[in-house]
Amino acid sequence: MGVLGNFLNQIKQVFGSLPPAKKITFIVLFVAVLGGFALIIFLNNRPNYRILYSYISIEDLQAIKTKLDKEKIPYKLEGTNSIAVPEDKIYQVRIMLASSGLPGGNITGFELFDKNQMGTTDFVQKINYQRALQGELSRTINEIPEVLESRVHLVVPEESLFIEDQKEPTAAVVLKLRPGSSLSSKQIQGIVHLLTSSVKGLKASNVSIIDAAGGTLYHKNGDEGKFFSDSQLEYKQNVEETLRRKIQGILEKVVGPGHAVVQVTADINFKEVKITEESYDPDTVAIRSEQKVIEQANGTSLRPKGNPDSILNLQAKLNSTGRPRANSASRQRETVNYEINKVEKSILERPGTIKRLSVAVAIDGKYKTEKTKDGKINKVFIGRTEKEMERLKEIVKKAMGYDPDRNDQVEISNISFSTSQLPEEIASHQNKWLKMLQNYQKAIINVVVFALFFFFVVRPFLKQLSTLKPSSELPQSGELTYESPEALEEGARRLPLREKGEEDLREEVINIAKNDPQRAADIIRKWVHEQQ
């Protein structure tokens, strides 16, 4: 048995020599302390649960619960529509449920056509196709992280033989978002584009999107200006951030990381301008066409005779003996068409051009160390020279693409930066330790619990055990003689003083030993048993 056997025998002998009341007290305390530490260790080492799926339908929740029971995987129900599993099994369980088609969401897609039914009419086929298309669109929209559930309603009119009787398809989407989530304008525009690309003939103006509370997210021709404004703001921020990175990157190579702060403000022209110009050059003339027409006529004619004032000069007509005379005529016509030099220009200025840039730069200076009278070392700010600041300003201008015609502005200042630690840096530093504690919290708590159990339970027990003796080594009641008061008085004198101020107690014990020896023997026997 060795040392361990002797130790156990000693504990057995000491425990056997205790009075029944002390035995019961010792057992109760030992069980309570041991049970408390065991409970702490159990609670600390039980598995952590993580949400497997949340905000799912009751049907899916019941199907998942049945599957987990069948596979004997522990789980916990969180609320009415969430289920949690041990953290180390969450991905394995998700893969297993996905292979079983869970959660299904009660959405039917094109699997509706997996089972062909004989005798299905053309009308039923069209309805099934529309249902399948709506289900597939809902599944795709549900992949957006902010969307919890969606429903798509399509109205696809039948094709008509006459164009004027043809109606356009329409679509309506109802979105149920996750608590605390919202969709950006780009995401909404993406849903609209998904619908128009999936349904034949569907236009964006015929799409309506609302949320579960009835609020309108997108309506016919109602949000184009809003989407364009959001895209303008995003474009402006991208331009400013790109320029800021370029300027700060080159400055930090010169003055060092963290010694330069750059802010850029860009004035962007979002107007779309179309200019058409026609210009003529009168000095540049070219003959485009030339046409000449020459007419010439030859012949004879009788000379006129008689009185022209007479209405009817019969006598002159009767006595007329006129001779014919020779006639000739000519005419020339010339047409020349000239082409004047003409220049036509059509200029389209797209939105997004930079109208003006404003750049503000703060640069930290140099420091020198000085020793104070108290022996402390302080840093003293030393500003940069004007020549150095001019060089830095030229660097900033080159990096930003400075254009004086745009009235660009550049302001660069040399100031002392604060050396105190930023709150973000402090929080980041603290988060590292918190993350480490979270990762190893179970092991740390186990070590602390075992240390407390050792120092406050095991160690005092061993120390108390070393001061006790088995009952075989203790004097029995028959061995205590109280016929001699002098012996009791001598024993009382040898009692050790445990605290200051016990001199009176010792004198009282001596008096009791002199006057009542039997009572003194009982008191000493009681003390001996209490020490056990």
Side-chain angles (χ1 to χ4, degrees):
M1 295 291 290
V3 178
L4 181 60
N6 295 332
F7 177 73
L8 294 177
N9 289 331
Q10 187 177 4
I11 292 178
K12 184 177 180 181
Q13 293 177 3
V14 172
F15 185 77
S17 63
L18 293 176
K22 285 194 174 183
K23 288 182 180 180
I24 296 174
T25 303
F26 178 80
I27 293 175
V28 171
L29 291 176
F30 181 78
V31 171
V33 172
L34 187 62
F37 280 104
L39 179 62
I40 293 174
I41 294 175
F42 171 75
L43 295 177
N44 179 60
N45 292 279
R46 64 180 179 176
N48 293 329
Y49 283 80
R50 280 185 58 187
I51 296 296
L52 179 65
Y53 292 110
S54 60
Y55 302 103
I56 56 178
S57 62
I58 300 298
E59 294 79 6
D60 287 337
L61 187 63
Q62 180 62 33
I64 292 174
K65 180 177 176 296
T66 303
K67 184 69 174 178
L68 295 179
D69 288 335
K70 183 179 178 181
E71 299 293 335
K72 297 181 179 180
I73 297 176
Y75 62 87
K76 290 197 316 182
L77 296 178
E78 302 286 344
T80 58
N81 53 3
S82 300
I83 188 168
V85 296
E87 187 176 11
D88 56 344
K89 296 183 179 180
I90 184 167
Y91 299 109
Q92 177 184 353
V93 173
R94 283 179 179 174
I95 293 174
M96 179 192 68
L97 294 176
S99 63
S100 302
L102 294 174
N106 296 327
I107 298 176
T108 304
F110 282 110
E111 66 271 11
L112 190 64
F113 295 96
D114 291 344
K115 297 180 180 179
N116 294 324
Q117 297 179 0
M118 299 297 295
T120 305
T121 62
D122 184 60
F123 176 76
V124 174
Q125 289 285 1
K126 289 181 179 179
I127 295 298
N128 289 339
Y129 174 77
Q130 185 170 331
R131 289 177 55 198
L133 184 58
Q134 291 176 168
E136 293 295 335
L137 289 172
S138 295
R139 286 176 177 174
T140 305
I141 295 173
N142 291 344
E143 294 298 323
I144 300 175
E146 291 80 6
V147 177
L148 179 62
E149 187 179 349
S150 66
R151 293 198 67 181
V152 179
H153 303 276
L154 299 177
V155 177
V156 183
E158 296 182 358
E159 296 184 0
S160 176
L161 296 176
F162 303 99
I163 298 177
E164 59 270 14
D165 296 336
Q166 181 65 43
K167 296 181 180 180
E168 296 179 348
T170 59
V173 182
V174 181
L175 300 178
K176 184 178 180 182
L177 304 180
R178 297 184 182 277
S181 301
S182 62
L183 292 177
S184 65
S185 58
K186 293 182 67 175
Q187 289 175 313
I188 296 175
Q189 191 66 29
I191 294 175
V192 174
H193 185 69
L194 171 67
L195 295 172
T196 56
S197 301
S198 302
V199 181
K200 181 181 178 181
L202 180 62
K203 297 180 180 178
S205 58
N206 294 330
V207 177
S208 298
I209 301 177
I210 64 173
D211 57 14
T216 301
L217 302 179
Y218 182 87
H219 191 258
K220 304 174 183 179
N221 299 324
D223 292 336
E224 287 81 359
K226 175 185 175 182
F227 292 137
F228 191 60
S229 299
D230 291 343
S231 62
Q232 287 177 355
L233 179 61
E234 184 178 0
Y235 176 78
K236 181 176 182 294
Q237 292 175 347
N238 289 337
V239 171
E240 293 174 348
E241 182 64 19
T242 301
L243 291 174
R244 188 195 67 80
R245 288 180 182 177
K246 288 173 62 177
I247 298 172
Q248 186 151 3
I250 193 171
L251 285 178
E252 288 185 345
K253 295 292 183 181
V254 179
V255 300
H259 294 281
V261 178
V262 181
Q263 290 296 331
V264 179
T265 301
D267 188 4
I268 308 296
N269 182 14
F270 291 105
K271 294 181 179 180
E272 183 175 351
V273 181
K274 185 177 181 180
I275 302 174
T276 303
E277 295 181 355
E278 290 186 5
S279 59
Y280 300 90
D281 188 2
D283 297 331
T284 305
V285 179
I287 298 175
R288 185 177 66 177
S289 63
E290 184 177 0
Q291 183 180 11
K292 288 183 179 183
V293 179
I294 301 175
E295 295 180 359
Q296 189 172 2
N298 295 321
T300 58
S301 63
L302 294 175
R303 296 179 180 180
K305 294 178 66 177
N307 187 5
D309 297 330
S310 175
I311 298 175
L312 183 61
N313 193 357
L314 298 175
Q315 185 66 29
K317 187 175 180 182
L318 294 173
N319 297 329
S320 175
T321 57
R323 302 176 187 173
R325 64 176 181 180
N327 268 345
S328 63
S330 63
R331 185 176 62 177
Q332 180 176 346
R333 185 176 60 188
E334 183 176 357
T335 303
V336 180
N337 294 323
Y338 294 94
E339 187 70 34
I340 300 175
N341 188 18
K342 174 184 172 184
V343 179
E344 293 183 359
K345 291 182 180 179
S346 182
I347 303 174
L348 179 61
E349 294 183 0
R350 293 290 184 182
T353 58
I354 298 176
K355 294 173 60 176
R356 186 176 62 180
L357 291 176
S358 300
V359 179
V361 181
I363 297 179
D364 195 9
K366 299 178 181 179
Y367 297 87
K368 68 177 182 179
T369 57
E370 291 184 354
K371 193 172 184 180
T372 61
K373 296 180 180 180
D374 301 336
K376 297 181 180 179
I377 298 177
N378 293 332
K379 289 185 177 181
V380 180
F381 174 76
I382 301 176
R384 299 180 184 271
T385 62
E386 293 184 2
K387 186 177 181 180
E388 188 176 2
M389 295 299 295
E390 285 296 328
R391 288 201 303 267
L392 293 175
K393 189 173 184 179
E394 290 298 323
I395 291 174
V396 173
K397 287 184 176 181
K398 298 296 182 183
M400 64 177 284
Y402 180 81
D403 187 358
D405 296 335
R406 292 188 311 214
N407 295 325
D408 291 348
Q409 297 179 355
V410 178
E411 185 67 29
I412 183 169
S413 302
N414 182 211
I415 57 177
S416 175
F417 283 13
S418 175
T419 56
S420 60
Q421 197 174 18
L422 297 177
E424 293 82 0
E425 297 177 356
I426 298 175
S428 176
H429 184 70
Q430 292 176 350
N431 289 337
K432 293 179 180 178
W433 290 103
L434 290 176
K435 188 175 181 180
M436 184 180 297
L437 288 176
Q438 290 176 356
N439 293 335
Y440 300 99
Q441 61 178 353
K442 290 186 177 181
I444 294 174
I445 293 177
N446 289 336
V447 172
V448 172
V449 169
F450 280 113
L452 293 176
F453 183 79
F454 177 78
F455 284 105
F456 291 97
V457 178
V458 177
R459 187 178 178 186
F461 176 76
L462 295 177
K463 188 175 181 180
Q464 184 70 20
L465 186 63
S466 62
T467 60
L468 297 177
K469 293 183 180 180
S471 57
S472 60
E473 299 179 8
L474 294 175
Q476 303 298 325
S477 58
E479 299 177 3
L480 290 174
T481 59
Y482 44 85
E483 291 83 7
S484 175
E486 292 78 6
L488 295 176
E489 181 179 350
E490 183 65 22
R493 291 181 184 277
R494 293 180 181 179
L495 290 176
L497 285 175
R498 299 188 179 274
E499 296 181 2
K500 292 182 179 180
E502 292 187 356
E503 186 67 25
D504 296 337
L505 180 60
R506 178 188 295 177
E507 295 295 332
E508 184 179 356
V509 171
I510 294 175
N511 293 330
I512 292 175
K514 290 181 178 178
N515 300 327
D516 193 352
Q518 186 174 359
R519 182 183 175 191
D522 293 336
I523 292 175
I524 294 175
R525 187 182 297 107
K526 184 178 180 181
W527 287 354
V528 171
H529 285 290
E530 286 179 354
Q531 288 182 357
Q532 295 177 5

